[in-house]
Amino acid sequence: MKMIEHEIMEKNKGLSKIFTVSKIITDINPWNKKIFFYDRKPLTIHRNALISKGDSIEELKGKLYILGDKDKFQIKPKFLSKRTKKINSIRLKIHIREIDSEVEWNKYLDLQKYHYLPVSGFPREVTLIASIKEFGKNVYIGYITISLPPLMNKARHEILNRPFTHPLLDINWDKWDMDAIKNNINRIVSISRILIHPEYRSAGLSSILISSAKKYCKSRWHLAGKKPVFIEITAALLLFSPFPCKSGLKYAGNTLGNINRVYQDVKYLLNGKPHIPSGIKAMQNNYLNKFRDKCEKFGFTVEEGLKLLEDVDSDLYYRDNYNFYKDLVRLPKGVYVGGLDEYSIKYINQFKRGDNHNKFINKTNNILNMKQLKIRMNNLSFSYKRNYVLTERVKMIHEIFGDPGKEHDHEILKDFTYEISSGEIVGICGPSGGGKTSILNLIAGKVNSYSGNIQCDNDQILDIRDIKLSDNSIIDDLKGETTEIINVLNNIGLFDALTYVKPYSKLSEGQKFRIKLGHLFISDKKIWIIDEFCTGIDPLTTSIIIKNIKKVVKNRNIILIVATANPSIIKLLSPDKIFWKGLDPELIVFNNSEFTQHFEESLYRIFSEDYE
């Protein structure tokens, strides 16, 4: 890409023309920039187009490409990736594109309020924004930003510190030392930010954004005309959620952080000894000033502050002086690395870690060692007496409508025999007042008077109605390892830091229901009972919950019994068996196809003009 300045580089190549960039103006607006050429009219293009002064631009059939050493990189039309995400019966049609309009820019700024860490810019970065259609309008649901990688990364060093030779590109090293870093760091692109709107988290959209970013990098990202062959992402969140795995990235390890050296670093700086390059020295001085400001703010002497740093450990979040440590102590972050072509993918996949790093494998995934449970119901019959307090108004009702008597038997279940096994999902559906909750009470051992026989390990039952929540923040209310809790919250559709710290009383009714689901997910009980399943929750979140709860039930061999008056939820859940509980005491058992046919025929009879 070395061009002779001021020389006109237009050449005819059939239908293509070559131009040289003479000047770039970036202060037009935040979403566009203006490109000037030698011997060509200026061009307004999206701001993130990776163009520099002196670049050679090929124009071919309405498309523009930057010419590199051995490749060319498209810049126009703007990047657009169309993807579809199916969540049960819901299909999300997602468009991921470069930002090139005021509307898209403002939506990007709106989304940033859900990114709670400071947002810092990079010398070279591209943001792709994602949207779906709702009622004919674009709804912007997330974005991903790719940028230059940091120079040093311990986990990257581990995964790349092996011989690598690319057969088609001028890339090779024997070990990932400083020479290799200097010559090849530009062959790596970093995912610096990824954000999904809280309402769409847990829907698996992060993997779609990462896959789209990989597609962008393969055809458009470059530095000095050289294409990347590796992509990486580094974030503290990756210690809790390994979502990059779904996009073909591999866990490389963790960054070092500074927890093991922060005391020595600050002590060294206080002594005024460092003799380091000016750029790094400025950064270190800023770090030292931050330490002094912290000591002054919290009333510590320098010696007391140093003592706190000397004593710090990975339980940083549980320490009384957390606010002092914040911004001074950096904990490790998870790192994932992937390839962008067949050669780099093969190279990354050959990497084997020596430690058992995959902490995300749930302890309950081993079905073979799990106790197999059954619920056996044999000739079950159940009724209860409705007791009325004969107040003056009740007497008036009896006088108007007839007196059923002070006691009235209500038959719920009659001669029912069935067996439910581990790993099965049963949905009880029917009109309100039909007795669905009473059947749940019977199975849960909350009914003493009935005929027939029911065999069930009551010690294994967890009824969602029995879960009592405190008014702590929800991250504190759930008991267990932080990693497991965050994964559970993700699975129930609550993947947002602001929600994590809310007390129970500040949650919506739908969120409260999901927190109770979280207690089910994190428990060791093997029989789950849920009344009013997903009542009051929007269809997308219901689909996400159903997808995740079915996975957990099958992986952990749970017996799940739910009740709802909404047949549409039953259809989404697609349980192994459906108990239809109408107003009669007979309980009808359907499989999914039978229930769907019965449900649709019932609707037809209700709404058909010919039905009388």
Side-chain angles (χ1 to χ4, degrees), residues 1 28 210:
M1 301 203 4
I28 304 173
I210 293 176

Side-chain angles (χ1 to χ4, degrees), residues 85-92 202-205 539-540 542-545 547 572:
K85 178 69 177 180
K86 186 175 184 295
I87 308 171
N88 289 324
S89 62
I90 295 177
R91 287 182 178 270
L92 296 178
S202 308
L205 302 183
L540 177 61
T542 296
S543 295
I544 292 170
I545 290 172
K547 172 189 171 185
L572 280 175

Side-chain angles (χ1 to χ4, degrees), residues 115 160 200 234 242 255 276 315 323 481 580:
H115 192 286
L160 297 185
Y200 293 89
T234 301
T255 61
I276 49 182
D315 286 333
N323 287 326
E481 294 291 332
W580 176 260

Side-chain angles (χ1 to χ4, degrees), residues 62-298:
K63 297 179 180 180
L64 294 181
Y65 301 87
I66 296 174
L67 299 181
D69 288 347
K70 295 183 178 180
D71 299 282
K72 60 183 182 181
F73 309 92
Q74 188 172 347
I75 57 174
K76 189 179 180 181
K78 71 175 184 179
F79 176 82
L80 174 63
S81 174
K82 297 181 180 180
R83 303 291 298 271
T84 299
K85 178 69 177 180
K86 186 175 184 295
I87 308 171
N88 289 324
S89 62
I90 295 177
R91 287 182 178 270
L92 296 178
K93 294 184 178 180
I94 307 163
H95 287 189
I96 302 101
R97 60 172 77 80
E98 291 172 287
I99 297 171
D100 75 341
S101 71
E102 183 176 5
V103 170
E104 292 171 350
W105 176 256
N106 288 332
K107 294 299 182 182
Y108 163 68
L109 295 180
D110 287 343
L111 286 167
Q112 285 193 17
K113 67 185 178 184
Y114 301 110
H115 192 286
Y116 306 115
L117 293 172
V119 176
S120 56
F122 295 86
R124 195 176 188 89
E125 67 177 21
V126 171
T127 295
L128 307 176
I129 194 166
S131 66
I132 59 173
K133 287 281 188 182
E134 282 188 358
F135 303 107
K137 289 183 61 178
N138 282 329
V139 176
Y140 293 86
I141 59 173
Y143 68 83
I144 186 168
T145 299
I146 48 183
S147 62
L148 299 175
L151 189 64
M152 305 301 293
N153 185 308
K154 172 182 175 289
R156 181 208 300 148
H157 177 87
E158 290 184 8
I159 202 169
L160 297 185
N161 196 28
R162 300 168 288 132
F164 176 70
T165 299
H166 198 290
L168 303 180
L169 301 171
D170 184 21
I171 308 173
N172 67 85
W173 63 80
D174 292 324
K175 57 182 180 180
W176 191 249
D177 55 16
M178 288 307 299
D179 286 338
I181 293 172
K182 179 181 177 181
N183 294 328
N184 299 286
I185 190 66
N186 292 342
R187 297 294 190 172
I188 303 170
V189 63
S190 174
I191 297 172
S192 52
R193 289 188 298 276
I194 182 167
L195 181 137
I196 305 293
H197 190 286
E199 291 301 316
Y200 293 89
R201 292 172 187 171
S202 308
L205 302 183
S206 293
S207 59
I208 287 180
L209 284 181
I210 293 176
S211 296
S212 297
K214 290 169 69 176
K215 182 179 178 182
Y216 176 91
C217 292
K218 291 176 184 179
S219 62
R220 298 183 181 237
W221 181 273
H222 73 98
L223 193 63
K226 295 181 179 180
K227 67 187 299 183
V229 291
F230 297 100
I231 187 169
E232 69 180 22
I233 180 171
T234 301
L237 178 62
L238 301 182
L239 298 174
F240 306 102
S241 179
F243 62 84
C245 290
K246 298 178 181 178
S247 304
L249 275 66
K250 190 165 186 176
Y251 175 66
N254 300 333
T255 61
L256 284 173
N258 69 350
I259 197 166
N260 294 321
R261 68 172 196 270
V262 60
Y263 166 71
Q264 290 295 341
D265 282 356
V266 173
K267 184 178 179 181
Y268 190 70
L269 290 168
L270 284 169
N271 291 333
K273 293 181 179 179
H275 180 69
I276 49 182
S278 59
I280 299 177
K281 187 174 182 179
M283 182 179 66
Q284 295 284 44
N285 284 335
N286 180 59
Y287 192 67
L288 180 58
N289 290 335
K290 190 178 295 184
F291 168 77
R292 286 176 170 149
D293 290 344
K294 290 268 188 177
C295 288
E296 182 178 349
K297 179 179 179 180
F298 293 100

Side-chain angles (χ1 to χ4, degrees), residues 21 50 108 134 223 319 329 549 612:
V21 177
L50 300 176
Y108 163 68
E134 282 188 358
L223 193 63
R319 289 182 168 269
V329 178
I549 202 171
E612 296 180 358

